Amino acid sequence: MDDWWEESLHDGFRVGLRIDELLHETKSAFQHLKLFENKALGRVLTLDGIVQTTERDEFIYHEMLSHTPILAHGDVHRVLIVGGGDGGMLRRVLMHPGIESVTVVEIDDSVIELSKRYLRSICGDAFDDPRAEVIIGDGAGYVADGRGQFDVIIVDSPDPVGPAGVLFERGFYSDCKSCLAAGGIIVTQNGVPFLQGEVLRSTVHHLRSLFADATCYLAPVPLYVGGFMAFGWASDDPTLRQVTLKTLSKRLAKVNLTARYYTAEIHMSAFALPGYVEALVVSV
Ligand code: SAM
């Protein structure tokens, strides 16, 4: 009899993945960690019963949440990643030649240890890169201390469950703003609007009260079921979102990203929102 893992993040909606081999399961001080092999998706990391990343589809999420703000900005040297314990975001950010430092603030070091041990296809050796600084702690507490001036802040958080709930509150976004250098950009993991519209509406509402420009952009991440996944976007420089295809293409030609989803055309089109998503973000 096959063993199945089920996610019921959304009321009345379940997703099941067969556990072809259980690789690790523990309860840390913060959350329940489960990592298993699945024929369709490769290795799957779940936290508190919610899928975080899979070997097969992680490239879409990590490329879109890292390359999009960095290439839109055009001169990024210092990046903050809040969460990101699987290392996939760190690995993509470090691909950009101009990056001088990436600070990763991850609350649960067991996620990092698990990723280094079982998810090298996602994190590679990013955690060993001399430009990477890993801080084990609460991301909300870190930005509240107003440390560092970053060109891009990437909130690579789980859904607003458990220790991640605080990462969807206005106070956190306000503190992030105080840690952004002039012309900086903040981007956020913001769930699947078809099933989590309220989370997106709330985030954009908070961001719009703090920044001159706030919206979201989209990408289809297979494992985040329900259609498009949304990424919150905010900056005090609205022109950053209006970068031209020509400029983006020039910038992209200068970096060797080996991207399998991100392209300059995908970047531009990701901000074209369908009506049901537009209704969530403009009506705030
Ligand atoms: N791609 C995933 C998604 O879309 O849900 C997120 C990936 S990553 C595994 C999320 C990380 O955020 C986890 O390692 C978790 O431990 C961390 N995390 C949760 N709450 C946090 C907090 N308050 N401060 C810092 N890290 C946090």
Side-chain angles (χ1 to χ4, degrees), residues 185-206:
I185 302 169
I186 176 174
V187 289
T188 63
Q189 184 282 108
N190 246 107
V192 173
F194 188 74
L195 293 163
Q196 298 167 283
E198 206 29 55
V199 178
L200 178 63
R201 186 204 303 274
S202 167
T203 291
V204 175
H205 174 75
H206 292 325

Side-chain angles (χ1 to χ4, degrees), residues 16 40 46 55 59 98 105 115 138 172 180-181 203 239 257:
T46 74
E55 284 185 309
F59 69 98
V105 183
S115 301
D138 175 10
F172 168 68
L180 268 181
T203 291
T239 65
L257 295 182

Side-chain angles (χ1 to χ4, degrees), residues 30-31 45 47 50-53 61-62 82-86 89 105-108 111-112 137-140 156-159 161-167 189 224 229:
F30 297 95
Q31 48 210 341
L45 170 67
L47 295 177
I50 302 169
V51 73
Q52 297 299 307
T53 193
Y61 170 84
H62 289 125
V82 175
D86 55 53
M89 203 64 70
V105 183
E106 163 59 57
I107 202 163
D108 189 346
V111 178
I112 295 177
D138 175 10
D156 181 12
S157 74
D159 294 290
V161 169
V166 68
L167 306 180
Q189 184 282 108
Y224 301 134
M229 168 168 232

Side-chain angles (χ1 to χ4, degrees), residues 20-75:
D20 292 317
E21 186 189 353
L22 179 61
L23 297 169
H24 187 94
E25 183 165 16
T26 46
K27 198 141 175 39
S28 75
F30 297 95
Q31 48 210 341
H32 178 224
L33 294 83
K34 190 166 189 164
L35 193 141
F36 59 89
E37 199 79 59
N38 169 271
K39 190 161 171 26
L41 295 158
R43 292 184 172 180
V44 179
L45 170 67
T46 74
L47 295 177
D48 284 342
I50 302 169
V51 73
Q52 297 299 307
T53 193
T54 82
E55 284 185 309
R56 282 286 311 283
D57 73 351
E58 62 83 24
F59 69 98
I60 303 170
Y61 170 84
H62 289 125
E63 289 177 14
M64 286 304 282
L65 205 49
S66 58
H67 302 330
T68 307
I70 293 175
L71 289 168
H73 182 290
D75 189 27

Side-chain angles (χ1 to χ4, degrees), residues 146-264:
R147 274 173 289 182
Q149 283 295 296
F150 300 97
D151 301 307
V152 167
I153 295 179
I154 301 173
V155 186
D156 181 12
S157 74
D159 294 290
V161 169
V166 68
L167 306 180
F168 291 78
E169 293 174 2
R170 186 182 189 281
F172 168 68
Y173 297 131
S174 174
D175 290 337
C176 283
K177 177 163 184 172
S178 66
C179 295
L180 268 181
I185 302 169
I186 176 174
V187 289
T188 63
Q189 184 282 108
N190 246 107
V192 173
F194 188 74
L195 293 163
Q196 298 167 283
E198 206 29 55
V199 178
L200 178 63
R201 186 204 303 274
S202 167
T203 291
V204 175
H205 174 75
H206 292 325
L207 292 174
R208 189 156 285 148
S209 73
L210 294 161
F211 291 88
D213 181 42
T215 184
C216 72
Y217 60 105
L218 305 173
V221 183
L223 234 282
Y224 301 134
V225 291
F228 285 117
M229 168 168 232
F231 307 107
W233 166 287
S235 169
D236 273 336
D237 181 354
T239 65
L240 294 176
R241 194 157 55 92
Q242 288 135 21
V243 62
T244 65
L245 181 61
K246 191 161 163 251
T247 302
L248 268 184
S249 303
K250 256 199 271 175
R251 288 176 183 170
L252 190 53
K254 284 194 197 134
V255 293
N256 169 25
L257 295 182
T258 58
R260 295 171 53 214
Y261 184 82
Y262 180 90
T263 68

